[in-house]
Amino acid sequence: MTGDILTLNAGSSSLKFAIFEAEQPDARPRISGKISGIGGAPVFSAKDAAGIALTSTQLAKLNPASSHEELIALLLDWVERHLGDRSLTMVGHRVVHGGRHFSQPVRLDDNVLRQLDELVPLAPLHQPHNLAAIRAVAKWLPDLPQIACFDTGFHRTQDPLATLFALPRALSDEGVIRYGFHGLSYDYIAGVLPDHIGAKAEGRVIVAHLGNGASMCAMQNRRSVATSMGFTALDGLMMGRRCGALDPGVVLYLLQSKGMDATQIEALLYQQSGLLGVSGISNDMRVLEDSDAQSARDAIDLYVYRAASTLAGLVPAIGGLDALVFTAGIGENSSHVRRAICDRLQWLGIGVDEAANDANEIRISSADSAIDVLVLPTDEEAVIAAACRTLMEP
Ligand code: ADP
């Protein structure tokens, strides 16, 4: 199959894209880029495979009601002009929620879209943007095949025990269960793990995806056994702006005693908490690491404490630990956060090589560490492109 694959990751404030050659499974994207600042003053930037900037353009403010349609039109037009003599053969989307039904990537049609619409209440801040991008592509290029790859899909291998809340069964039966997210990232790491640790990759591994959103996944045989995110992408680790695991009694208190409504509580838990809420300074780990403020240190300390506690809580699901992988923005770049998390886990047999950790090397465990500790860049777009190749008709 020849031609180009376009991957899209449509969020509320950014639209990330990459263009891959369909016939070159191991190649990096020919072009990658994003439109950031959606909702404010959007900026369109893109670079080629060598990292050379192709554009960085300030776009006009968009009509919020039609922003995805306008942005996708603009993006498709730009892509068309940069394909040269090649053409687009498929578009692959990152879609946050596939519910219980979609464990694998799926070819999109009206019927599938309807089913994905029904999952909007489970991911109200993410799913609508994903689906808007799909509909916009279908509007401008109705004959172009599109597929969806689900952030929940990787976790569908879990035993029901790991997915249940201790709630009345009727709620579990209607889908109030732990789904887990960041599946494309975990899928990528599971795919490359044998290149780095050989047969140990099939063992007991925890992957810490520490980006703006953050979660951990305990794997065995490179399949998800348990994960820290639950029914929504709010559970588990402390994140940039999200609170992570919270006593549900706090939500009741906010509702009943503080008189907050659902919209205000949603904003508090998703936008105003996490590193930003605790520091009062920023959701960006780099800013906090550079700050002398006590509140910045408090935020990082809490982030680390909660990460180590969550990791330790996942160990029983896999009965021990052979390898720990750090990935995503903070996991790949913050030697301080990695070292601090590992320091709290020494009792598990984790030892860190300071020099390797400071240099962001792939293997950062010390020679005497009982557990391999790795830093691996994730690549969700590569997973979407691979799914496109698999689902393309021969
Ligand atoms: P997203 O979930 O939006 O894809 P990323 O994976 O890009 O997010 O992660 C963003 C986070 O990574 C931010 O908190 C940012 O501060 C952090 N980060 C990026 N580079 C560094 C760095 N060099 N040191 C510390 N933190 C970093």
Side-chain angles (χ1 to χ4, degrees):
M1 176 63 75
T2 59
D4 282 346
I5 292 165
L6 173 66
T7 66
L8 288 178
N9 178 356
S12 58
S13 65
S14 73
L15 174 66
K16 295 183 190 156
F17 72 96
I19 300 169
F20 292 81
E21 291 185 17
E23 63 273 31
Q24 303 279 353
D26 296 322
R28 297 188 46 73
R30 294 175 58 198
I31 298 174
S32 59
K34 67 178 172 192
I35 301 175
S36 55
I38 301 172
V43 175
F44 184 166
S45 57
K47 56 183 194 251
D48 67 13
I52 303 202
L54 299 172
T55 182
S56 180
T57 315
Q58 182 83 53
L59 305 176
K61 199 166 173 2
L62 300 156
N63 171 4
S66 61
S67 61
H68 275 90
E69 261 180 32
E70 287 180 47
L71 288 175
I72 294 281
L74 194 143
L75 174 66
L76 291 175
D77 180 58
W78 187 91
V79 165
E80 195 80 4
R81 283 185 280 116
H82 286 77
L83 288 179
D85 54 359
R86 299 173 62 84
S87 57
L88 277 187
T89 52
M90 197 175 249
V91 181
H93 296 262
R94 178 179 178 185
V95 173
V96 68
H97 222 301
R100 281 210 258 224
H101 184 57
F102 296 107
S103 57
Q104 298 293 329
V106 63
R107 186 81 173 252
L108 288 156
D109 58 26
D110 288 346
N111 182 31
V112 172
L113 265 178
R114 264 194 303 278
Q115 294 178 65
L116 298 181
D117 277 334
E118 286 171 14
L119 299 170
V120 165
L122 302 187
L125 301 186
H126 296 97
Q127 192 91 337
H129 302 293
N130 306 153
L131 301 185
I134 293 166
R135 291 200 160 96
V137 173
K139 174 171 177 178
W140 303 120
L141 295 174
D143 296 329
L144 191 62
Q146 300 193 71
I147 70 158
C149 300
F150 301 102
D151 260 328
T152 49
F154 187 73
H155 302 295
R156 299 277 61 76
T157 52
Q158 290 180 5
D159 187 281
L161 190 69
T163 70
L164 285 177
F165 293 114
L167 286 170
R169 190 168 282 272
L171 277 172
S172 318
D173 290 346
E174 71 171 60
V176 183
I177 59 168
R178 304 174 56 83
Y179 291 96
F181 300 88
H182 290 134
L184 301 180
S185 175
Y186 295 130
D187 201 347
Y188 179 80
I189 299 293
V192 298
L193 209 46
D195 298 342
H196 300 287
I197 55 171
K200 223 184 231 189
E202 309 300 327
R204 302 161 301 180
V205 178
I206 291 183
V207 181
H209 176 109
L210 308 179
N212 275 316
S215 71
M216 289 180 178
C217 179
M219 300 180 190
Q220 201 152 20
N221 296 315
R222 294 191 287 143
R223 297 167 133 223
S224 174
V225 176
T227 190
S228 63
M229 276 182 172
F231 178 60
T232 66
L234 203 51
D235 201 4
L237 302 174
M238 176 172 163
M239 305 178 217
R241 295 171 182 272
R242 286 173 248 168
C243 58
L246 183 74
D247 176 348
V250 173
V251 177
L252 295 176
Y253 170 77
L254 298 175
L255 263 173
Q256 295 167 337
S257 298
K258 300 276 288 181
M260 291 173 73
D261 64 21
T263 310
Q264 291 169 318
I265 295 175
E266 181 181 81
L268 180 88
L269 302 182
Y270 277 94
Q271 305 289 345
Q272 299 154 12
S273 298
L275 291 172
L276 174 65
V278 177
S279 69
I281 295 173
S282 175
N283 64 308
D284 189 320
M285 187 58 89
R286 283 167 294 200
V287 174
L288 299 184
E289 287 186 350
D290 287 344
S291 168
D292 293 329
Q294 183 60 42
S295 66
R297 279 198 291 279
D298 291 345
I300 298 174
D301 288 349
L302 185 59
Y303 185 92
V304 165
Y305 171 71
R306 304 260 313 233
S309 309
T310 302
L311 193 150
L314 285 168
V315 172
I318 45 179
L321 192 61
D322 300 310
L324 165 61
V325 180
F326 287 100
T327 193
I330 296 172
E332 291 167 30
N333 296 296
S334 175
S335 56
H336 170 74
V337 168
R338 288 193 304 258
R339 186 174 50 242
I341 293 174
C342 289
D343 279 353
R344 284 190 173 272
L345 296 167
Q346 283 175 24
W347 56 274
L348 263 174
I350 290 181
V352 170
D353 178 323
E354 295 290 333
N357 184 46
D358 288 345
N360 291 328
E361 284 181 14
I362 289 178
R363 183 181 291 266
I364 62 166
S365 38
S366 55
D368 62 351
S369 177
I371 290 158
D372 289 356
V373 186
L374 306 177
V375 178
L376 297 177
T378 194
D379 192 346
E380 289 148 321
E381 279 71 31
V383 173
I384 301 172
C388 285
R389 292 186 186 97
T390 305
L391 287 182
M392 270 179 194
E393 272 134 13

